[in-house]
């Protein structure tokens, strides 16, 4: 959201939360010839499947140009190949993709940075965010990303394996320190969390956004033993 707000401040485009549309099971109805700037996290070196599915169901109105801003912990691999194909399939005008390295929050597999380190990463990203916003404001296309061989493999083979092998909620559990605040249920974009006797219960359509575990005010949620002792990341800005 931080990157989206910073871009919006330059381009004067409004902001809509895809999470809110997903949570309320709503489809977006586009305005005529609207420009779309899709700001999204990176999941396994491509855009999340829930975001791709959301885009596929947007009700178009005229010709739409589309920019993709992908925040990531390291790189986006060969994501651009699949974005171009998506736009071609939907008859959208692809105007480019930009990789923005931001603090890691996927603590189911990686370590999140402490606040001081996170702020340094964000400070480094801000000039690139601002330059990208300027190009979008001027309706210019974004430079092509160059994918390495490993990036191509990650965005294809690894991405296909990642979802069935990794993306599930069965390892989430809550500790006795849970205060039954309901924040996890409120933030889950897919309504995958239900409170039972005041404690969260995870169902079977998780997308691994990490909103529940990273925003728990008392750090009562764990993901197996992989998250134990790790910082939870929320944007310090």
């Amino acid at each position: 959201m931080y990157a989206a707000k910073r871009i919006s401040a330059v381009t004067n485009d409004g902001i809509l939360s895809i999470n809110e549309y997903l949570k309320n099971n709503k489809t977006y109805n586009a305005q005529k010839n609207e420009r779309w700037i899709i700001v999204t996290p990176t999941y396994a070196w491509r855009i999340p499947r829930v975001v791709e599915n959301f885009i596929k169901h947007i009700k178009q109105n005229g010709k739409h140009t589309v920019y993709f801003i992908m925040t990531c912990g390291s790189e986006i691999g060969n994501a651009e190949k699949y974005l171009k194909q998506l736009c071609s399939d939907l008859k959208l005008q692809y105007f480019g993709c930009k990789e923005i390295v931001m603090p890691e929050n996927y603590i189911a597999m990686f370590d999140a940075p402490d606040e001081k380190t996170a702020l340094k990463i964000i400070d480094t990203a801000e000039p690139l965010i601002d330059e990208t916003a300027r190009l979008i404001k001027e309706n210019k296309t974004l430079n092509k990303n160059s994918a390495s061989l490993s990036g191509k493999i990650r965005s294809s083979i690894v991405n296909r394996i990642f979802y069935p092998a990794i993306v599930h909620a069965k390892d989430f559990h809550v500790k006795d320190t849970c205060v039954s605040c309901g924040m996890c249920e409120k933030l889950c974009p897919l309504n995958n969390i239900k409170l039972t006797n005041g404690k969260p219960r995870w169902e079977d359509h998780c997308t691994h956004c990490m909103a529940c575990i990273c925003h728990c005010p008392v750090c009562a949620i764990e993901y197996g033993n992989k998250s134990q002792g790790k910082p939870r990341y929320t944007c310090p800005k």
Side-chain angles (χ1 to χ4, degrees):
M1 182 62 79
Y2 177 74
K5 287 181 177 179
R6 196 171 180 95
I7 291 169
S8 174
V10 174
T11 65
N12 295 317
D13 289 294
I15 296 179
L16 297 174
S17 170
I18 291 177
N19 279 7
E20 291 181 9
Y21 275 82
L22 294 173
K23 191 168 186 64
N24 293 293
N25 195 29
K26 293 172 62 178
T27 300
Y28 177 61
N29 296 318
Q31 301 297 311
K32 188 173 180 62
N33 299 331
E34 193 174 54
R35 176 177 67 186
W36 302 345
I37 307 166
I38 310 293
V39 184
T40 174
T42 303
Y43 284 16
W45 300 278
R46 283 166 63 174
I47 65 172
R49 290 187 180 177
V50 291
V51 174
E52 182 174 330
N53 189 57
F54 174 82
I55 295 170
K56 287 179 178 178
H57 287 86
I58 292 175
K59 293 182 179 179
Q60 298 187 42
N61 184 4
K63 295 181 179 180
H64 300 286
T65 58
V66 188
Y67 292 91
F68 291 90
I69 313 300
M70 295 181 63
T71 59
C72 59
S74 58
E75 60 165 302
I76 64 171
N78 198 28
E80 187 165 36
K81 171 186 174 180
Y82 302 92
L83 295 175
K84 286 181 177 178
Q85 185 60 56
L86 175 66
C87 288
S88 176
D89 292 344
L90 298 176
K91 296 180 171 54
L92 300 168
Q93 294 179 292
Y94 177 78
F95 263 47
C97 172
K98 182 60 65 175
E99 169 189 287
I100 306 289
V101 176
M102 292 287 276
E104 181 65 67
N105 81 327
Y106 190 44
I107 60 175
M109 294 185 69
F110 306 111
D111 291 337
D114 59 33
E115 184 171 318
K116 182 178 179 180
T117 303
L119 284 168
K120 287 182 179 179
I121 295 170
I122 295 170
D123 287 345
T124 300
E126 285 175 345
L128 181 56
I129 296 172
D130 294 345
E131 173 62 14
T132 301
R134 183 187 65 80
L135 291 171
I136 294 172
K137 184 177 182 179
E138 296 173 359
N139 293 313
K140 295 180 178 179
T141 57
L142 304 180
N143 292 336
K144 182 179 179 181
N145 293 279
S146 179
S148 63
L149 176 59
S150 61
K152 293 177 181 178
I153 293 172
R154 288 167 178 161
S155 294
S156 56
I157 297 171
V158 177
N159 182 274
R160 288 195 294 270
I161 295 172
F162 172 73
Y163 279 88
I166 304 296
V167 182
H168 54 73
K170 64 184 181 181
D171 288 337
F172 282 110
H173 63 276
V174 64
K175 299 186 293 188
D176 292 340
T177 50
C178 172
V179 294
S180 303
C181 68
M183 181 65 73
C184 52
E185 181 183 49
K186 178 181 178 181
L187 290 177
C188 180
L190 299 185
N191 298 311
N192 190 54
I193 300 174
K194 307 295 182 186
L195 292 189
T196 302
N197 296 323
K199 305 299 179 184
R201 175 176 56 82
W202 285 262
E203 298 183 349
D204 62 357
H205 47 280
C206 179
T207 187
H208 266 208
C209 70
M210 299 291 120
C212 60
I213 191 169
C214 286
H215 286 85
C216 177
V218 293
C219 296
I221 298 172
E222 299 286 1
Y223 187 78
N225 58 10
K226 297 175 183 176
S227 61
Q228 293 179 10
K230 292 182 178 180
R232 273 56 167 158
Y233 175 74
T234 57
C235 183
K237 291 194 175 186

